[in-house]
């Protein structure tokens, strides 16, 4: 999306269908804000060059780490540091969240 554009997150997320969508909404300096809508888990992965912050808007989001499980509801935020193996999944039929990360980050799948 272009700068100086008003985005209605609820309206936008309602228009998204499918098992998983991760859509860039805005660039802020060298970071991107993405809207994620998911009905199925995302694969185990890590980002060697960026932290990743999640802010839940709708539903429940589960963030699985190797030795911990974090449950987030609407209005809750959690940051996964760079190089930490994780995966996300909805806890229920659907979750909607914003994620904040470096625009040029790498996503590497668990070996």
């Amino acid at each position: 999306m272009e700068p100086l554009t008003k985005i209605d997150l609820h309206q936008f997320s309602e228009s998204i269908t499918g098992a998983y969508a991760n859509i860039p909404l805005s660039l802020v300096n060298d970071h991107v804000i993405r809207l994620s809508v998911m009905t199925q888990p995302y694969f185990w992965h890590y980002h060697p060059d960026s932290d990743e912050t999640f802010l839940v808007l709708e539903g429940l989001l589960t963030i699985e780490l190797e030795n911990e499980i974090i449950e987030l509801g609407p209005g809750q935020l959690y940051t996964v540091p760079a190089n930490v193996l994780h995966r996300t999944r909805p806890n229920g039929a659907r979750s909607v969240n914003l994620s904040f990360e470096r625009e040029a980050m790498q996503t590497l799948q668990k070996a």
Side-chain angles (χ1 to χ4, degrees), residues 49-69:
D49 50 1
S50 181
D51 297 341
E52 184 174 24
T53 298
F54 299 91
L55 172 62
V56 176
L57 301 176
E58 174 189 319
L60 298 172
L61 178 69
T62 300
I63 302 171
E64 294 181 69
L65 308 176
E66 288 183 286
N67 299 311
E68 186 177 2
I69 295 176

Side-chain angles (χ1 to χ4, degrees), residues 3-20:
L4 301 175
T5 301
K6 182 169 92 173
I7 302 168
D8 183 319
L9 296 173
H10 180 71
Q11 183 180 30
F12 190 66
S13 71
E14 289 297 316
S15 71
I16 298 170
T17 60
Y20 181 80

